[in-house]
């Protein structure tokens, strides 16, 4: 299939491009589009064969359900029942935005969308292209991240192009995504609201509005409530080591690891903070990518997936990544870094 990549204005999206996207979606085809978190791979959520194409294009396991994107409350009401006071508060404070709500589904929601679960995950994105595209289509849009399964989520049109070209008819490219990490997934289906996946809205932000919040800690061999959390997402091809500790100790340890890697004729890439970068240049890594300042986690979040992808593209055998402080957006950043590193975390 030939893929068209159309550049679209991220603030005032061109009407004819939105129309073209909506036509493909209504015809049961896939369209990649920007959201404020990452790029989404969209399909008509009410069309089972369109949704099946998402799983095929991504190589996504069938048991990993899809988030449904809506542009207004009426559309949400078609898909979800049992609006609790907590759900209303979430909508009021965080929609449109990077918060996905897991709630009991109506009969309108297809099994392929929820992987047979009784609840559906639903979100209203704030990116003008995403919102206007859903509006123009007039349908709820199922959309996971527009990457091949197992690769870092795409945070630019170029990432989507590399993963999806020749698989889908249209990519709407509005450049880089603002947040750069996926949405927070919050389970509101019963009891205390529970974070299933940390993301663009922090636990602290949710607590300020909802009071007590739980975090679903994934234990070994346990079936996760968000099925996607069991997959080793965001995994670069190289062996990744996450280092957590003071800047000085991280710099020193990275220097040693670069030396050791080079002795084994390995290419060693470094993902570090702005503060550590000046002390790592002269250790001569094969790639040095600055994620952003320690004091600006939103900068680190928006660059993280670009850095991981770059390490793969440049063939790094070993990737040394500097951790950030937990709390706020830092918790979501560390969640993604830990997943990318598998179990290889050094506390120093
Ligand atoms: P992605 O769309 O690739 O960013 O992944 C969506 C995440 O939301 C995955 O971790 C899914 O397992 C999770 N998710 C989607 N639908 C549901 C649902 N109905 N119940 C629980 N988790 C869900
Ligand atoms: Mg994904």
């Amino acid at each position: 299939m030939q893929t068209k990549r159309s550049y679209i204005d991220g603030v005032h999206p061109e009407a004819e491009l939105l129309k073209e996207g909506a036509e493909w979606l209504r015809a049961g085809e896939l369209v990649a589009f920007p959201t404020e978190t990452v790029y989404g791979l969209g399909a008509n959520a009410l069309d089972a064969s369109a949704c099946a194409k998402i799983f095929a294009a991504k190589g996504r396991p069938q048991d990993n359900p899809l988030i449904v994107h809506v542009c207004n409350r009426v559309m949400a009401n078609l898909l979800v029942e049992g609006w609790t006071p907590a759900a209303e508060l979430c909508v009021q404070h965080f929609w449109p935005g990077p918060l996905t709500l897991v709630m009991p589904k109506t009969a309108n929601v297809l099994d392929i969308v929820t992987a047979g679960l009784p609840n559906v995950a639903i979100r209203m994105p704030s990116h003008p292209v995403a919102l206007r595209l859903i509006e123009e289509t007039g349908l709820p849009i199922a959309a996971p991240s527009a990457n091949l399964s197992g690769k870092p989520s795409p945070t630019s049109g170029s990432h989507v192009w590399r993963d999806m070209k020749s698989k889908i008819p249209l990519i709407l490219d509005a450049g880089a995504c603002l947040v750069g990490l996926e949405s927070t997934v919050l389970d509101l289906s019963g009891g205390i609201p529970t974070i299933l996946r940390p993301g663009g809205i922090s636990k602290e932000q949710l607590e300020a509005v909802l009071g007590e919040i739980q975090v679903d800690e994934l234990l070994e061999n346990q079936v996760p409530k968000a099925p996607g959390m069991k997959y080793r997402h965001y995994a670069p091809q190289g062996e990744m080591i996450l280092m957590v500790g003071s800047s000085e100790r991280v710099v020193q340890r990275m220097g040693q690891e670069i030396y050791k890697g080079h002795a084994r004729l390995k290419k060693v890439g470094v993902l570090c903070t702005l503060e550590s970068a000046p002390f790592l240049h002269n250790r001569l890594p094969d790639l040095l990518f600055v994620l952003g300042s320690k004091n600006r986690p939103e900068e680190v979040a928006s660059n993280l997936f670009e850095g991981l992808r770059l390490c793969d593209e440049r063939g790094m055998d070993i990737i040394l990544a500097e951790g950030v402080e937990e709390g706020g957006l830092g918790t979501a950043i560390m969640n993604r870094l830990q997943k990318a590193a598998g179990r290889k975390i050094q506390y120093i």
Side-chain angles (χ1 to χ4, degrees), residues 38 58 60 63-67 69 100 102-103 113-115 117-121 143-145 147 153 182-183 185 187 196-197 225-229 233-234:
V38 303
K58 281 180 61 83
R60 186 177 175 98
D63 66 350
N64 193 2
L66 306 174
I67 295 174
H69 294 67
T100 296
V102 173
M103 293 173 63
V113 169
T114 62
L117 295 171
N119 302 317
V120 65
S145 47
N147 54 296
S153 292
E182 302 86 345
S183 60
V185 178
D187 187 354
L196 303 183
R197 173 176 77 182
K225 290 198 197 114
M229 297 305 278
H233 269 180
Y234 328 110

Side-chain angles (χ1 to χ4, degrees), residues 167-194:
K167 296 185 164 199
I168 63 175
L170 181 65
I171 298 170
L172 295 176
D173 184 345
C177 297
L178 199 65
V179 180
L181 291 182
E182 302 86 345
S183 60
T184 301
V185 178
L186 185 69
D187 187 354
L188 292 176
S189 64
I192 300 166
T194 304

Side-chain angles (χ1 to χ4, degrees), residues 36-272:
E36 71 279 21
T37 58
V38 303
Y39 274 74
L41 183 62
N44 174 1
L46 304 178
D47 177 342
S49 70
C51 292
K53 289 179 187 171
I54 290 179
F55 290 89
K58 281 180 61 83
R60 186 177 175 98
Q62 293 286 341
D63 66 350
N64 193 2
L66 306 174
I67 295 174
V68 183
H69 294 67
V70 298
C71 62
N72 57 44
R73 183 58 188 272
V74 176
M75 209 181 252
N77 288 348
L78 289 174
L79 306 169
V80 160
E81 52 195 29
W83 289 92
T84 58
E88 296 293 353
L89 282 171
C90 285
V91 169
Q92 230 178 68
H93 283 85
F94 302 112
W95 276 15
L99 179 66
T100 296
L101 304 176
V102 173
M103 293 173 63
K105 73 182 192 79
T106 65
N108 296 323
V109 181
L110 301 166
D111 273 347
I112 188 170
V113 169
T114 62
L117 295 171
N119 302 317
V120 65
I122 183 169
R123 172 167 110 82
M124 190 189 295
S126 65
H127 196 295
V129 173
L131 266 184
R132 297 276 318 279
L133 179 67
I134 302 167
E135 236 167 58
E136 181 71 30
T137 312
L139 293 163
I141 301 298
S145 47
N147 54 296
L148 295 171
S149 264
K151 284 245 223 162
S153 292
T155 51
S156 75
S158 306
H159 297 163
V160 181
W161 175 252
R162 266 168 243 149
D163 281 12
M164 289 297 148
K165 74 169 172 287
S166 77
K167 296 185 164 199
I168 63 175
L170 181 65
I171 298 170
L172 295 176
D173 184 345
C177 297
L178 199 65
V179 180
L181 291 182
E182 302 86 345
S183 60
T184 301
V185 178
L186 185 69
D187 187 354
L188 292 176
S189 64
I192 300 166
T194 304
I195 295 177
L196 303 183
R197 173 176 77 182
I201 299 286
S202 69
K203 181 176 184 240
E204 292 83 350
Q205 283 173 289
L206 291 169
E207 274 169 346
V209 169
L210 299 178
E212 192 187 355
I213 298 280
Q214 278 180 343
V215 179
D216 192 47
E217 301 288 354
L218 254 192
L219 302 172
E220 203 81 25
N221 299 324
Q222 194 192 350
V223 178
K225 290 198 197 114
M229 297 305 278
K230 72 172 177 259
Y231 297 106
R232 189 179 167 232
H233 269 180
Y234 328 110
Q237 272 140 38
E239 174 198 349
M240 182 162 145
I241 305 171
L242 174 59
M243 297 187 183
V244 181
S246 75
S247 206
E248 281 151 19
R249 287 205 294 268
V250 166
V251 164
Q252 197 189 12
R253 180 69 66 86
M254 282 190 176
Q256 291 164 354
E257 292 291 339
I258 293 167
Y259 184 83
K260 270 165 50 190
H262 284 168
R264 290 161 52 215
L265 304 179
K266 303 286 183 195
K267 284 174 97 174
V268 186
V270 164
L271 306 177
C272 66

